[in-house]
């Protein structure tokens, strides 16, 4: 028996099973989702107030690009062209994320707290999808595909943990101290000295490091 074909490619019988149909649809769903998430991360990177959060988002944006490439390899193992299928769940999470972030004051810890929760909703969807599809790949003895899915799964899990750590280390506490009129002061500051967002981020990072 050719082990290479056993571990990489589904046989004719497998390809006709409803579970395998669901599996390939799930990969298409994730492919669409990862591309939408990449755009969301690009936007959120510049919306984040603290350096800690924008750096974490930037790192995950790079990982997300790798996730897209890994899924393209999965399609290759499946002898399929890479093709996305709209993921209604992620489309909904992203829509809600954009609405909730736009309701927060610009350059605030509250905004960062909200960005983190939204990002974790995305990560949890990805973790459930990669985790479940990985198990189905193993069930069908598609080991090479399972390996690719597992690599991305581990990075999604690490990102989720990192986001919790950032929120819990200082962002939530500082967000809880913010008041509605804080933002007006920020606006005045901006007009006074046109202090850049980078400058504010730097100030924030220093303040939290010395706290
Ligand atoms: Fe991802
Ligand atoms: Fe992710």
């Amino acid at each position: 028996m050719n082990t290479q074909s056993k571990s990489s490619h589904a046989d004719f019988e497998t390809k006709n099973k409803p579970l395998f149909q669901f599996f390939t649809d799930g990969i298409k769903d994730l492919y669409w989702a990862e591309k939408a998430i990449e755009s969301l991360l690009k936007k959120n990177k510049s919306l984040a107030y603290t350096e800690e959060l924008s750096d974490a988002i930037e790192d995950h944006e790079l990982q997300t690009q790798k996730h897209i490439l890994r899924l393209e390899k999965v399609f290759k193992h499946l002898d399929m062209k890479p093709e996305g299928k709209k993921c209604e769940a992620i489309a909904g999470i992203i829509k809600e994320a954009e609405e909730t972030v736009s309701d927060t004051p610009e350059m605030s810890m509250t905004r960062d707290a909200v960005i983190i929760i939204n990002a974790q909703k995305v990560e949890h969807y990805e973790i459930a999808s990669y985790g479940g599809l990985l198990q189905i790949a193993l069930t069908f003895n598609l080991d090479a595909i399972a390996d690719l899915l597992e690599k991305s799964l581990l990075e999604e899990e690490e990102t989720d943990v990192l986001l919790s750590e950032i929120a819990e280390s200082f962002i939530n506490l500082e967000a809880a101290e913010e008041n509605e009129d804080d933002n007006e002061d920020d606006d005045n500051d901006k007009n006074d000295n046109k202090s850049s967002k980078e400058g504010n981020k730097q100030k924030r990072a220093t303040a939290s490091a010395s706290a």
Side-chain angles (χ1 to χ4, degrees), residues 130-147:
Y130 278 111
L133 293 173
L134 160 64
Q135 290 307 321
I136 293 178
L138 289 172
T139 304
F140 283 129
N141 293 317
L142 301 170
D143 295 348
I145 291 175
D147 284 349

Side-chain angles (χ1 to χ4, degrees), residues 30 33-34 37 41 60 63-65 67-68 71 122-123 126 130 152 155-156:
L30 259 181
E34 290 284 18
I37 292 163
L41 292 169
H60 197 54
Q63 286 180 331
T64 299
Q65 288 164 1
H67 299 175
I68 292 170
L71 288 173
V122 169
E123 292 314 309
E126 291 184 296
Y130 278 111
S152 297
E155 288 173 355
E156 308 295 15

Side-chain angles (χ1 to χ4, degrees), residues 3-207:
T3 41
Q4 174 64 30
S5 73
K6 190 190 173 204
S7 65
S8 301
H9 296 280
D11 56 29
F12 181 75
E13 200 196 338
T14 299
K15 282 182 177 170
N16 284 312
K17 290 185 188 292
L19 185 62
F20 188 78
Q21 297 293 330
F22 169 80
F23 178 78
T24 55
D25 278 353
I27 296 295
K28 290 178 191 173
D29 170 288
L30 259 181
Y31 190 60
W32 188 96
E34 290 284 18
K35 288 189 164 183
I37 292 163
E38 189 192 5
S39 313
L40 177 73
L41 292 169
K42 213 163 251 142
K43 273 186 234 159
N44 279 352
K45 187 172 62 180
S46 53
L47 290 174
Y49 180 30
T50 59
E51 265 187 317
E52 285 86 346
L53 183 57
S54 76
D55 287 352
I57 293 173
E58 185 165 18
D59 288 348
H60 197 54
E61 188 191 343
L62 297 174
Q63 286 180 331
T64 299
Q65 288 164 1
K66 279 198 285 175
H67 299 175
I68 292 170
L69 294 176
R70 281 192 197 121
L71 288 173
E72 288 171 358
K73 286 186 190 164
V74 169
F75 280 113
K76 207 168 179 178
H77 282 298
L78 293 168
D79 297 320
M80 291 166 64
K81 275 207 187 99
E83 183 195 339
K85 184 174 179 224
K86 185 175 180 185
C87 170
E88 298 290 354
I90 280 293
I93 292 175
I94 289 175
K95 184 170 177 277
E96 198 177 280
E98 288 173 342
E99 285 166 7
T100 52
V101 168
S102 72
D103 285 345
T104 60
E106 277 178 44
M107 297 201 297
S108 66
M109 296 304 241
T110 302
R111 174 164 285 187
D112 277 16
V114 172
I115 289 174
I116 289 175
I117 292 181
N118 290 334
Q120 287 187 290
K121 288 179 184 175
V122 169
E123 292 314 309
H124 283 232
Y125 180 86
E126 291 184 296
I127 289 166
S129 301
Y130 278 111
L133 293 173
L134 160 64
Q135 290 307 321
I136 293 178
L138 289 172
T139 304
F140 283 129
N141 293 317
L142 301 170
D143 295 348
I145 291 175
D147 284 349
L148 289 163
L149 298 177
E150 189 176 24
K151 283 193 182 112
S152 297
L153 172 65
L154 292 174
E155 288 173 355
E156 308 295 15
E157 288 173 341
E158 281 167 14
T159 300
D160 180 45
V161 171
L162 177 68
L163 289 168
S164 288
E165 283 171 3
I166 295 174
E168 289 160 23
S169 65
F170 68 103
I171 287 178
N172 286 351
L173 283 170
E174 292 191 32
E177 297 294 317
E178 286 176 340
N179 297 303
E180 231 175 312
D181 51 357
D182 289 352
N183 196 37
E184 286 164 27
D185 295 343
D186 273 4
D187 286 348
N188 291 338
D189 284 354
K190 253 190 293 178
N191 294 336
D192 285 350
N193 55 14
K194 297 231 180 301
S195 67
S196 70
K197 192 179 166 194
E198 274 313 310
N200 274 314
K201 276 187 186 173
Q202 202 59 50
K203 213 167 54 185
R204 266 296 165 202
T206 319

